[in-house]
Amino acid sequence: MKKNDSLCNNGFQNNDSSTNTGAQIALWGSAISTFGDALQTLGGAISIEESRISDIQQQQELEKLQSQIDDLKKEQEKNSQSTDAETLNKLLERIVKRLEKDDDEKEK
């Protein structure tokens, strides 16, 4: 009977060991899965933050370009006005020369 008891006890011990091993594997699998989910969530948060930073940088670049465009428009308006003033001065000089020429011819 001792042999039977011994055999029976070994069977139960093997069975308990298998159950414990299975439970341990399940526990490790759940822990790894939870860790993977946490990493996935962290990766998503980082991706959203990088996208937000990229949008801010792009907006700043657009504002800088708009400022440069505005500056160029102002400069062009100034150049246009000075060109108009130069043209007007040339026309006035030509008129003055013609008037002087007409006066000289009248005096002769």
Side-chain angles (χ1 to χ4, degrees), residues 90-105:
K90 287 179 184 178
L91 286 173
L92 288 173
E93 286 175 9
R94 289 167 77 191
I95 290 171
V96 168
K97 285 181 183 178
R98 281 188 185 171
L99 288 173
E100 286 175 352
K101 188 177 181 181
D102 286 345
D103 281 346
D104 286 343
E105 287 179 4

Side-chain angles (χ1 to χ4, degrees), residues 78-94:
K78 286 180 184 177
N79 288 340
S80 175
Q81 289 173 353
S82 70
T83 303
D84 290 344
E86 288 174 12
T87 304
L88 183 60
N89 281 336
K90 287 179 184 178
L91 286 173
L92 288 173
E93 286 175 9
R94 289 167 77 191

